[in-house]
Amino acid sequence: MNKKRQIPNAGHWLILCALLLAVALCSAAAAEETQVPLKKIKFTAKTYKISPVDSLNLSIKLTENPLFHTETVTFESSNPAILNVTPSGFATVPEGIRNGSVTVTATSSGGKTAQCKVKIKAVDVKKITLSSKSLRIHPGLSGSLTCKVVPKNATWPEIEWSSSNSAVATVDGEGIVKAVQKGTAIITAKNPDSGKTASCVVTVDRIYVSSVSLNLKKQTVGTGGSFKLKATVKPAGAGNKTVAWSSDNPSVASVDENGKVTGRSAGKTVIRAVSTDGSNRSATCEVTVKEIIPKSVSLSPKVRTLDPGAKVRLSYSTTPSYSSYNGSDFATWTSSDPSVASVSENGEVTAHQSGIAEITLTVGPTGSRISAKGQVRVRSSSPKTVTVGAVGDVILGGDPRGSSQTHAKLKVFRKHLSSYAALGNDPLDYVFRDQALVDELKADDITVANLECALTNEGRHQNEVFLFKGYPSYAAILPRGSIEVCSLANNHNDDFHEKGIQDTKKALAAHGVGAIPERGSCIVTRNGVRVGFFGMRVKGSSKPSVVTQKVSALKEECDVVYVFFHFTCTTKSTWKYGSHERSMAHAAVDAGASVVVGAHPHMLSGIEIYNGAYIAYGLGDMVVGGTNERYNFLFRTKLLVHEGFVEVADPTVVSIYANSSKDRLSNFSPIKLTGSKADACISRIRSRSAQFGTDLSGITFVR
């Protein structure tokens, strides 16, 4: 007999749904409390090698996803007298140990174990040599010796310096030898660990000038124009290398104590440089003075920013530099708005009220007059302020292809997170685990970075030598490093096609991070200031006119324009920038950008100041795996919005290292540098800024 199927009423459905929901919630809660066991653990290497003076961060590999287990792993040394290992895996060698071998055991809270060997080996100094075997130094002067230690990787390469007769010559810890009085002394360099030595015989005696030469033998200069003579005195070790300057006819051309020659009236004369140590060595330059009409004139700098009531005397230069009409008697000055800033007949500017005044200079004879323009910007009393920091390349992942163990692989990035999670940490905290660096990143209102990877689950990709990919969930890492805006205008934004670009934007938006698209903008408001970020991949075919148009349009919408370029026209692995990159950066400033920063070559570059704006051409790699150039920096500026203009203030450089371990290559976990290590990074920035002729005295270098 067939029974009719009973259909439950609405009340029955509600009861059933409630029961199912309760079961699901209980199951979820139980799952959260249940510890997912590790099946297997192993060290990232079977054998590690360490110097007695180094430390080592031991790490393990996991077969499980780090997000799905909660076990911890502890480490233990088989012989702490040879190698001390903390429970977290930080290994150090006790003082006095030169060589040895120990076994380190890793144990998970679930009882799984793994072992590795750690070998300690010292490298002994075999030989030392000095840069010179003999020196001759004038009394009261100094010379320098450098010491070469063989091999270069010696464990204890320290050198102790000594003098056999400190009454004749002394030596400091850096090999600087100071001559005291006439005589002979032997300077010895000794490696205290090996006992190896090297010596130099120092003779202290009076050294006279043997010759004087000038950089010019003949020169023509305009009436009122000037040029500089430079005297070279030999030998370099002469006791007194000063020269006395004189002119045979000062009414035609005069010369000051520094060798600056000024044309006075038409004619010819001879300028002389004579040694003053009694040797009477000399050199001469024949000077012809006549009218030379300048071809162009320029103000330097072109932009001056003043407080109301302040005064400044403007200066100018002509091309050629030695042309006539180079004095205030030949110049005419005018201001476009004397109520903002007025200018006197001798070029002295007085600031009156907030705004911009254009100053025009005109020089030259009637019928051949030329002019130049500059700006005087007068500050307001209470400007709106926003602080923006910028960092270079950030890659949250890597290449997903193949089984290679290179540092730039996606699976290597994942293993770093896994090892960090195995120690009981949140794996997404791994990248920005250096609190000192995070504090610096939080010190500004907005931090912008170059995100050089796609955050996507898309599998289709371009056929490129390098691909950079991370998962959408990795976008949560960026706020932990206080990164609020990312530029996607780079050569890896489309590694995974348009789908990858859109997935990346969605992932960033889900975590409150703004995205700057290729040749597009992102506007962020902080402290009542609208900051417009523009991004562009600069190729060899890119036109400055495109930048001018885009930046000018964005300036109409914002209080401040900040530009992030990706200089793909620049050869990789070089810090040098050519005329094309500079013309693009200058075009951005001329169109209204207050700060321009750049990336791509995976090396930090220099800083240029152009018309009141700052250009940091290469910030370097911050979060990456595999790079050999590990120095990079945070560039932070305060932007003051005045009436009609933006002032860049308090430029600050924070040195960063892309590697928090002793590995040769970087490990996706940057750290802030301090002390001598920061000085090494700062030195690179200074030397690489020399190509732009930038005065870096106004920049604060954090160390």
Side-chain angles (χ1 to χ4, degrees):
M1 181 176 177
N2 293 329
K3 293 182 179 180
K4 291 183 179 180
R5 187 175 63 172
Q6 294 184 352
I7 301 175
N9 58 31
H12 292 155
W13 278 114
L14 289 173
I15 294 171
L16 180 60
C17 289
L19 289 171
L20 291 173
L21 178 60
V23 171
L25 290 174
C26 290
S27 299
E32 287 184 1
E33 294 175 0
T34 301
Q35 188 179 67
V36 179
L38 293 171
K39 295 180 181 179
K40 182 180 180 181
I41 64 173
K42 65 177 182 178
F43 282 91
T44 54
K46 292 182 179 179
T47 303
Y48 298 87
K49 294 181 180 180
I50 185 174
S51 165
V53 296
D54 286 336
S55 58
L56 176 67
N57 277 312
L58 294 167
S59 59
I60 61 167
K61 295 180 182 179
L62 302 179
T63 56
E64 291 75 24
N65 189 312
L67 299 177
F68 299 151
H69 75 83
T70 55
E71 287 195 36
T72 59
V73 177
T74 57
F75 299 82
E76 185 179 9
S77 170
S78 64
N79 191 344
I82 295 178
L83 183 73
N84 181 49
V85 180
T86 66
S88 63
F90 185 70
T92 55
V93 181
E95 187 175 351
I97 300 299
R98 300 181 69 89
N99 300 286
S101 178
V102 301
T103 299
V104 176
T105 302
T107 306
S108 72
S109 55
K112 301 296 181 183
T113 62
Q115 290 187 329
C116 73
K117 289 285 186 182
V118 179
K119 295 182 178 180
I120 302 103
K121 184 178 180 180
V123 179
D124 297 328
V125 173
K126 296 181 179 179
K127 179 182 179 182
I128 64 174
T129 58
L130 293 180
S131 54
S132 179
K133 292 184 178 181
S134 63
L135 285 178
R136 186 166 179 256
I137 310 175
H138 188 89
L141 299 185
S142 298
S144 64
L145 290 170
T146 58
C147 186
K148 180 181 178 182
V149 176
V150 180
K152 292 182 179 179
N153 64 334
T155 304
W156 290 283
E158 293 78 10
I159 294 297
E160 293 179 351
W161 297 87
S162 62
S163 171
S164 65
N165 191 346
S166 55
V168 172
T170 61
V171 62
D172 66 11
E174 301 298 322
I176 304 300
V177 181
K178 185 174 181 180
V180 179
Q181 64 179 0
K182 188 175 181 180
T184 301
I186 298 175
I187 302 299
T188 300
K190 179 180 179 180
N191 173 244
D193 181 63
S194 65
K196 302 292 184 182
T197 63
S199 299
C200 172
V201 178
V202 175
T203 302
V204 179
D205 198 5
R206 188 171 181 81
I207 302 174
Y208 289 94
V209 172
S210 60
S211 68
V212 177
S213 61
L214 297 178
N215 57 321
L216 297 169
K217 292 184 177 181
K218 289 185 178 182
Q219 179 63 31
T220 299
V221 63
T223 48
S226 62
F227 67 95
K228 185 73 179 289
L229 284 174
K230 180 181 178 181
T232 300
V233 175
K234 291 184 178 181
N240 180 1
K241 294 190 287 185
T242 60
V243 296
W245 297 92
S246 64
S247 171
D248 286 2
N249 192 343
S251 65
V252 173
S254 61
V255 61
D256 67 11
E257 67 275 11
N258 297 314
K260 180 181 178 181
V261 179
T262 302
R264 301 298 180 184
S265 61
K268 290 186 177 183
T269 188
V270 174
I271 304 297
R272 302 180 186 276
V274 182
S275 62
T276 60
D277 68 341
S279 62
N280 292 319
R281 304 296 181 182
S282 65
T284 61
C285 175
E286 184 181 291
V287 176
T288 300
V289 182
K290 65 179 183 179
E291 183 181 52
I292 301 176
I293 298 174
K295 296 179 180 179
S296 64
V297 62
S298 62
L299 291 170
S300 180
K302 292 183 179 180
V303 178
R304 298 266 186 165
T305 303
L306 304 173
D307 291 318
K311 296 184 178 183
V312 64
R313 178 75 175 270
L314 298 181
S315 60
Y316 69 93
S317 60
T318 61
T319 302
S321 59
Y322 50 81
S323 60
S324 304
Y325 308 99
N326 262 324
S328 59
D329 295 341
F330 308 105
T332 301
W333 302 86
T334 58
S335 170
S336 64
D337 192 344
S339 67
V340 173
S342 58
V343 60
S344 68
E345 61 182 12
N346 64 357
E348 184 178 72
V349 172
T350 302
H352 300 293
Q353 64 180 8
S354 180
I356 299 177
E358 188 174 72
I359 305 298
T360 302
L361 161 71
T362 306
V363 299
T366 303
S368 300
R369 292 178 71 77
I370 54 177
S371 62
K373 296 181 183 295
Q375 274 189 358
V376 172
R377 301 173 176 179
V378 184
R379 299 182 178 98
S380 53
S381 58
S382 55
K384 292 187 292 185
T385 303
V386 64
T387 302
V388 180
V391 292
D393 294 347
V394 172
I395 301 176
L396 303 177
D399 200 319
R401 298 170 296 185
S403 59
S404 173
Q405 293 296 313
T406 58
H407 284 60
K409 293 289 183 182
L410 173 58
K411 69 183 209 175
V412 174
F413 182 80
R414 293 175 60 188
K415 287 177 180 176
H416 282 299
L417 301 190
S418 298
S419 297
Y420 193 62
L423 301 176
N425 303 301
D426 183 340
L428 298 183
D429 283 337
Y430 169 77
V431 172
F432 293 109
R433 54 184 172 151
D434 181 38
Q435 190 59 47
L437 175 58
V438 173
D439 290 343
E440 291 290 354
L441 294 169
K442 287 182 176 179
D444 52 45
D445 298 305
I446 308 169
T447 303
V448 58
N450 178 51
L451 183 63
E452 197 150 10
C453 68
L455 300 178
T456 180
N457 291 315
E458 174 64 38
R460 297 180 308 109
H461 55 74
Q462 305 280 12
N463 185 24
E464 299 289 346
V465 176
F466 298 105
L467 297 175
F468 294 127
K469 171 185 176 178
Y471 299 116
S473 61
Y474 290 168
I477 294 172
L478 297 166
R480 302 182 190 207
S482 190
I483 294 176
E484 291 85 11
V485 178
C486 285
S487 174
L488 308 184
N490 54 62
N491 60 309
H492 287 285
N493 69 338
D494 63 347
D495 277 357
F496 292 82
H497 303 285
E498 183 63 26
K499 180 68 164 56
I501 296 175
Q502 296 306 318
D503 286 349
T504 303
K505 291 180 179 179
K506 290 178 183 178
L508 295 177
H511 293 279
V513 180
I516 311 170
E518 167 65 23
R519 295 199 181 189
S521 61
C522 171
I523 299 176
V524 179
T525 301
R526 291 287 191 278
N527 307 332
V529 179
R530 287 173 58 83
V531 182
F533 293 93
F534 171 74
M536 180 176 174
R537 180 181 174 185
V538 177
K539 305 177 183 179
S541 58
S542 299
K543 303 295 184 184
S545 58
V546 175
V547 177
T548 300
Q549 177 186 1
K550 294 285 187 179
V551 172
S552 297
L554 185 58
K555 189 72 172 75
E556 294 296 319
E557 301 181 55
C558 305
D559 300 304
V560 176
V561 174
Y562 202 106
V563 173
F564 208 129
F565 281 138
H566 201 72
F567 290 109
T568 51
C569 54
T570 303
T571 303
K572 285 188 177 182
S573 299
T574 180
W575 51 266
K576 295 183 178 180
Y577 282 76
S579 59
H580 180 59
E581 295 94 322
R582 295 186 71 184
S583 66
M584 295 293 285
H586 291 183
V589 173
D590 293 338
S594 298
V595 181
V596 178
V597 295
H600 176 65
H602 305 294
M603 301 183 78
L604 65 80
S605 186
I607 299 171
E608 180 181 19
I609 303 173
Y610 173 73
N611 286 352
Y614 282 81
I615 305 169
Y617 283 93
L619 298 171
D621 291 337
M622 186 175 77
V623 181
V624 292
T627 181
N628 284 305
E629 170 78 0
R630 288 164 285 182
Y631 288 108
N632 61 97
F633 63 99
L634 162 67
F635 187 60
R636 187 167 59 223
T637 51
K638 182 182 291 185
L639 303 167
L640 310 178
V641 181
H642 298 285
E643 186 68 32
F645 70 96
V646 177
E647 179 185 7
V648 184
D650 300 337
T652 302
V653 166
V654 179
S655 301
I656 304 173
Y657 202 57
N659 187 8
S660 59
S661 75
K662 293 288 184 179
D663 293 341
R664 183 179 65 86
L665 298 175
S666 53
N667 65 344
F668 298 98
S669 182
I671 60 173
K672 174 188 172 182
L673 294 176
T674 58
S676 61
K677 293 181 179 179
D679 290 340
C681 181
I682 294 168
S683 177
R684 293 193 185 195
I685 296 171
R686 289 186 180 280
S687 64
R688 294 176 184 184
S689 298
Q691 60 181 315
F692 308 119
T694 301
D695 178 7
L696 301 182
S697 60
I699 297 178
T700 299
F701 289 92
V702 178
R703 64 176 306 278

